[in-house]
Amino acid sequence: METPGKLEDVDEVRGHRRTLLDGLRYHGGAANTSELRAYGDVPEGSIQYHLSVLEDWELIGQEGTERLENGEIANSYHLTDSGTDVAEEIADSTTTVESVESFEQQINQQQEQIASLQQEVEELRAEVDKLNELREEFNRMADVVEELAHQES
């Protein structure tokens, strides 16, 4: 377990703490605990512990409290200058498993959409072919009707 004090190595920032720093960066450098929990799915029971470690490392600072729409009180935090540097370094240097999985999921969804659209295009082409056949048959019938009309006159 980390000891309070100065952060020695950016690699010490992992798990929920990394998520909290990224959440603060995502929210423009400041957010409340409710926003941070929602951003990173950090358990309510452990968020204060992780935030206190980040404060001990002087990566974040507490701004105060605010009342949420539901009436609850949430602590507000901001990135310090060194916290901003660490958050940017983490963001620039890593590709998380979650981001790769998210991209893979997006790719799979897009591939499914493409396959569905290709199927729709094939169905529409078949409909167009049927309509063209009907048009040709209609034109033949129109020719026959016209020929009959000329014969009667």
Side-chain angles (χ1 to χ4, degrees):
M1 182 178 293
E2 298 82 13
T3 57
K6 189 164 173 58
L7 177 69
E8 298 296 325
D9 186 355
V10 172
D11 290 335
E12 292 180 60
V13 183
R14 7 179 219 286
H16 290 308
R17 293 175 199 150
R18 184 176 287 238
T19 300
L20 291 169
L21 283 181
D22 192 51
L24 283 164
R25 188 176 72 77
Y26 173 81
H27 285 286
N32 64 47
T33 50
S34 178
E35 293 168 323
L36 293 172
R37 269 197 321 272
Y39 174 83
D41 198 27
V42 178
E44 189 171 351
S46 64
I47 192 168
Q48 289 303 327
Y49 171 73
H50 294 299
L51 289 168
S52 69
V53 171
L54 293 172
E55 276 188 291
D56 289 342
W57 287 343
E58 299 176 357
L59 300 178
I60 66 170
Q62 186 173 353
E63 292 184 341
T65 59
E66 60 183 85
R67 185 171 299 278
L68 304 176
E69 289 179 16
N70 64 6
E72 292 181 21
I73 302 292
N75 293 329
S76 298
Y77 293 88
H78 68 276
L79 287 170
T80 62
D81 290 341
S82 59
T84 300
D85 293 342
V86 168
E88 292 297 327
E89 184 177 338
I90 289 170
D92 291 343
S93 68
T94 61
T95 301
T96 63
V97 171
E98 292 83 11
S99 65
V100 170
E101 288 172 350
S102 174
F103 287 137
E104 287 174 345
Q105 185 178 21
Q106 289 173 3
I107 289 168
N108 289 336
Q109 288 172 344
Q110 289 174 347
Q111 286 174 333
E112 289 172 9
Q113 289 174 337
I114 288 169
S116 175
L117 289 171
Q118 286 173 332
Q119 179 65 35
E120 285 181 42
V121 165
E122 290 304 315
E123 290 170 4
L124 289 171
R125 283 185 178 146
E127 289 293 318
V128 167
D129 290 343
K130 287 179 188 176
L131 289 172
N132 284 333
E133 288 174 14
L134 287 172
R135 185 181 67 210
E136 288 175 14
E137 190 173 322
F138 175 80
N139 287 338
R140 281 191 300 270
M141 289 175 61
D143 290 344
V144 168
V145 168
E146 192 174 309
E147 210 175 285
L148 288 172
H150 281 4
Q151 286 176 0
E152 288 182 4
S153 33

